[in-house]
Amino acid sequence: MPISSLSPIGHCPPSLSLKYNFPFCPTRKASILASPKKPLIFTTKRTTTHIVSMSYEAGIGVMGTKLGMMSYFEPDGTVVPVTVVGFREGNIVTQVKTEATDGYDAVQIGYRRVRDKKLTKPELGHLQKSGLIPMRHLQEFRLQSVDGFEAGQKLAFEEIFNEGDLVDVSGTTIGKGFQGGIKRHNFRRGAMTHGSKSHRQLGSIGAGTTPGRVYKGKKMPGRMGGTTRKIRKLKIVKIDNDLCVVMIKGAVPGKPGNLLRVAPAKIVGKNIPKN
């Protein structure tokens, strides 16, 4: 088709419709190139999509409830500060996901039994599909292999972990509300005397003309706490099967009664591949 046959408006003859012959995707940028020696060329520029996937766990874990902190005396008299973690009814495998059915390998676990009316109908239907009791919390552990797991299988802490093992504990930190820079970021205050009028104020947050804006990530007052945090490589000091509790050395996120996620500690080269 010669260039002379193109109409001045839209550069398309009446018999040719770009709308139907050349589908256009709103997420792409299209451009039309035409010259006397070359036909119409359509070039598209794709937008990149970043997919964030959950990282692999070093092994299967369990969920528990934080009961509080105490001092534990070892046989040699050493005092160790520990966090006591208890376990309610649950830690049951609710679903096993595989590469063929879901695109990745993971084990879904349920924890803390509740009444039926506390859950929605989709949540109840998901659990009743496997003949399980209604449970409040559902979490996944992505593993390299899910062999040996099946729906309805109950996980016991003493069968997965031993005293002396290292674990990663995740939980929601205590919410502090809106706080200033001194409490939130450990800033120093100004002079309280000698005529100073800046005591706990934040101060300058950037230059005026250059760059003329506030840099992203600037430490400023804002909401503090109430976020998910993980404390890595904590040692299991004691496992008490009679009381159904476990003592973990150190502090873990949250206040007594909070949900905790306990998983084997990730150690690169030992239980996590270097690549």
Side-chain angles (χ1 to χ4, degrees), residues 46-62:
R46 293 179 178 271
T47 57
T48 58
T49 303
H50 299 280
I51 300 177
V52 180
S53 60
M54 183 174 60
S55 61
Y56 287 99
E57 297 285 354
I60 192 65
V62 296

Side-chain angles (χ1 to χ4, degrees), residues 156-173:
F157 189 90
E158 60 273 8
E159 298 177 359
I160 302 175
F161 301 97
N162 299 314
E163 293 182 0
D165 291 350
L166 299 180
V167 293
D168 293 343
V169 182
S170 304
T172 303
T173 59

Side-chain angles (χ1 to χ4, degrees), residues 102-210:
D102 299 277
Y104 63 100
D105 295 329
V107 177
Q108 186 186 85
I109 298 177
Y111 178 71
R112 187 183 171 188
R113 181 170 185 170
V114 293
R115 290 175 289 178
D116 294 352
K117 68 177 184 178
K118 294 292 186 179
L119 301 180
T120 62
K121 289 186 177 180
E123 292 172 339
L124 283 173
H126 174 68
L127 296 173
Q128 290 174 356
K129 185 183 300 184
S130 302
L132 301 175
I133 59 176
M135 289 176 284
R136 166 68 69 186
H137 306 287
L138 296 177
Q139 290 195 12
E140 287 186 358
F141 292 84
R142 186 174 182 183
L143 307 174
Q144 297 180 357
S145 175
V146 293
D147 298 337
F149 296 99
E150 58 182 6
Q153 178 182 352
K154 185 173 179 58
L155 302 178
F157 189 90
E158 60 273 8
E159 298 177 359
I160 302 175
F161 301 97
N162 299 314
E163 293 182 0
D165 291 350
L166 299 180
V167 293
D168 293 343
V169 182
S170 304
T172 303
T173 59
I174 299 176
K176 303 292 185 180
F178 193 97
Q179 298 297 331
I182 292 180
K183 181 172 182 177
R184 192 182 186 205
H185 300 295
N186 298 319
F187 289 169
R188 291 180 297 178
R189 62 171 175 82
M192 300 299 291
T193 57
H194 300 285
S196 173
K197 299 182 184 300
S198 177
H199 306 306
R200 297 178 64 92
Q201 286 83 351
L202 184 63
S204 174
I205 58 175
T209 304
T210 304

Side-chain angles (χ1 to χ4, degrees), residues 7 30 41 59 65 82 93 104 111 138 153 176 238 253 259 270:
S7 60
I41 300 176
T65 303
V82 297
V93 178
Y104 63 100
Y111 178 71
L138 296 177
Q153 178 182 352
K176 303 292 185 180
K238 180 70 175 179
L259 176 71
K270 184 177 179 181

Side-chain angles (χ1 to χ4, degrees), residues 227-260:
T227 57
T228 302
R229 288 291 181 266
K230 177 187 289 185
I231 309 299
R232 302 187 63 246
K233 297 183 180 179
L234 297 179
K235 181 181 178 180
I236 298 177
V237 178
K238 180 70 175 179
I239 298 177
D240 195 326
N241 296 327
D242 297 332
L243 298 177
C244 195
V245 298
V246 60
M247 301 179 187
I248 301 176
K249 182 179 180 179
V252 300
K255 57 185 179 181
N258 274 19
L259 176 71
L260 296 177

